[in-house]
Amino acid sequence: MPMREPGICRVDVEKGELSGASNRYTRTMADLAGLYADGSAYKAVLAELGDTVVYEVTDFKPSADAGDMIIGVTRMIPGRVGDEYFLTRGHIHANANRPEMYYGEAGYGLMLLESPAGEIRTVEIGPRSLCYVPPYWIHRSVNVGTTELVMTFAYPADSGQDYDIIAKAGGMRSRIVDDGRGGWKAVDNESY
Ligand code: S6P
Ligand code: ZN
């Protein structure tokens, strides 16, 4: 393992980004086609949002070596498509036995997790809470609040992401929707 220089990256909670990040990627609603249950609501939100960034990831990746680590920030705007809260694409790590942690910086969200055996878990993430994503679990972030959700994350640098696992299954087993009282509830995904 080569030696590397120590470093510091500042989490800019206001901007929802990692200052000095080496990578940035963004997702607009157009990039999220097919993820939401309500197709006509999706078209309406797509027209309304245009090129607005729905979520953005900034990270620092020192290397892709096993034993190294990627650290970064995910920022997601609040909103719903029909009754379904805004979400990330979601994935399992390509090296599936790699874990991850998420730390809530601002806003209220949850991590929707699904195990290989089909178990579903929802872990609420608010400021100063730390979510553990165990190895082998598919994970997707959902903004169930009314403000931007900002989370710091860290995971092994050789994890990789497999997005097809969700696409091939017709989504995850559950969807996170408005419960009619300003909160959220998990319901079965009928396309699964
Ligand atoms: C990567 C880690 C996060 C997500 C980010 C966006 O393993 O879980 O950096 O990439 O929250 O989600 P997604 O599902 O679009 O990659
Ligand atoms: Zn991940």
Side-chain angles (χ1 to χ4, degrees):
M1 178 82 183
M3 293 301 291
R4 298 187 193 285
E5 275 300 306
I8 186 84
C9 296
R10 200 170 67 84
V11 176
D12 188 329
V13 179
E14 291 296 310
K15 288 187 183 163
E17 66 180 29
L18 192 70
S19 298
S22 48
N23 304 296
R24 177 187 301 267
Y25 78 82
T26 57
R27 295 280 178 261
T28 65
M29 197 46 82
D31 298 320
L32 305 173
L35 299 189
Y36 293 97
D38 185 337
S40 54
Y42 172 77
K43 281 186 194 151
V45 175
L46 183 61
E48 184 192 330
L49 288 185
D51 289 338
T52 304
V53 171
V54 175
Y55 70 94
E56 173 179 39
V57 179
T58 43
D59 67 25
F60 174 64
K61 182 178 180 178
S63 77
D65 294 344
D68 211 339
M69 192 165 69
I70 296 171
I71 53 180
V73 172
T74 300
R75 174 185 69 85
M76 181 164 32
I77 63 172
R80 292 199 314 261
V81 173
D83 63 356
E84 200 172 352
Y85 285 103
F86 283 3
L87 43 73
T88 57
R89 277 173 78 196
H91 56 266
I92 191 170
H93 290 152
N95 284 320
N97 66 349
R98 301 300 195 264
E100 185 159 356
M101 56 114 329
Y102 284 83
Y103 178 77
E105 302 281 2
Y108 289 90
L110 59 82
M111 197 61 62
L112 175 63
L113 300 122
E114 187 176 314
S115 75
E119 302 153 291
I120 282 280
R121 300 284 185 271
T122 48
V123 177
E124 293 198 66
I125 303 177
R128 293 189 155 231
S129 54
L130 189 53
C131 168
Y132 168 56
V133 176
Y136 300 107
W137 286 73
I138 295 168
H139 46 287
R140 159 179 281 172
S141 316
V142 185
N143 188 348
V144 295
T146 54
T147 57
E148 285 198 335
L149 174 65
V150 180
M151 298 176 296
T152 299
F153 58 77
Y155 61 101
D158 66 339
S159 300
Q161 286 83 25
D162 172 357
Y163 294 97
D164 283 349
I165 192 167
I166 292 181
K168 282 182 186 150
M172 293 179 71
R173 287 173 188 255
S174 293
R175 295 184 181 277
I176 305 300
V177 300
D178 180 14
D179 68 357
R181 301 188 304 274
W184 62 271
K185 63 181 180 181
V187 296
D188 287 346
N189 172 16
E190 287 173 7
S191 318
Y192 187 85

